[in-house]
Amino acid sequence: MRRNVSTTLRRRRRADPMRAYDALPRPLRLWMAQAVLPWSPASCRRIWARARAEGASPDDILDRLDRVERTTLSRDRFSLSVMNLASYNDQQDQLT
């Protein structure tokens, strides 16, 4: 593909999303791999860094991310049936 090389504007560099993902802490990468929503490495890194600065442990941060994801999914009318099914399955698992 040809670019317009006659411009004097600086070319905008885009970050490599896989490099950003690989730079995340291992627990956070594992959480992102199983997350229901498509989280960006940048947003997860922001949440992680802010929580670590507040003194939260990695497990606390992952719990916080789970809560944020559940809250976001609860606002999506299409995912309510999926959430209800997951809640039902969790209850059944606790009974056995």
Side-chain angles (χ1 to χ4, degrees):
M1 185 168 108
R2 296 181 60 193
R3 289 184 290 140
N4 185 359
V5 292
S6 64
T7 183
T8 59
L9 298 175
R10 292 185 62 181
R11 187 165 174 222
R12 184 175 175 183
R13 300 239 181 232
R14 300 214 181 246
D16 180 11
M18 286 309 294
R19 181 174 287 161
Y21 177 82
D22 290 340
L24 295 174
R26 180 172 167 71
L28 186 53
R29 287 194 318 266
L30 294 174
W31 183 87
M32 285 181 67
Q34 60 82 33
V36 176
L37 297 173
W39 290 79
S40 73
S43 64
C44 285
R45 183 179 53 250
R46 261 192 314 275
I47 292 169
W48 184 272
R50 186 174 299 138
R52 290 299 286 170
E54 294 170 359
S57 72
D59 289 334
D60 292 339
I61 299 168
L62 298 178
D63 289 340
R64 182 184 300 188
L65 286 166
D66 283 334
R67 285 192 309 272
V68 169
E69 187 170 56
R70 277 195 306 270
T71 302
T72 304
L73 286 171
S74 71
R75 287 185 268 143
D76 182 10
R77 66 186 174 105
F78 294 118
S79 67
L80 287 178
S81 59
V82 174
M83 292 296 289
N84 290 337
L85 180 62
S87 174
Y88 176 77
N89 289 339
D90 288 344
Q91 291 173 355
Q92 293 302 315
D93 289 342
Q94 290 175 356
L95 294 175
T96 58

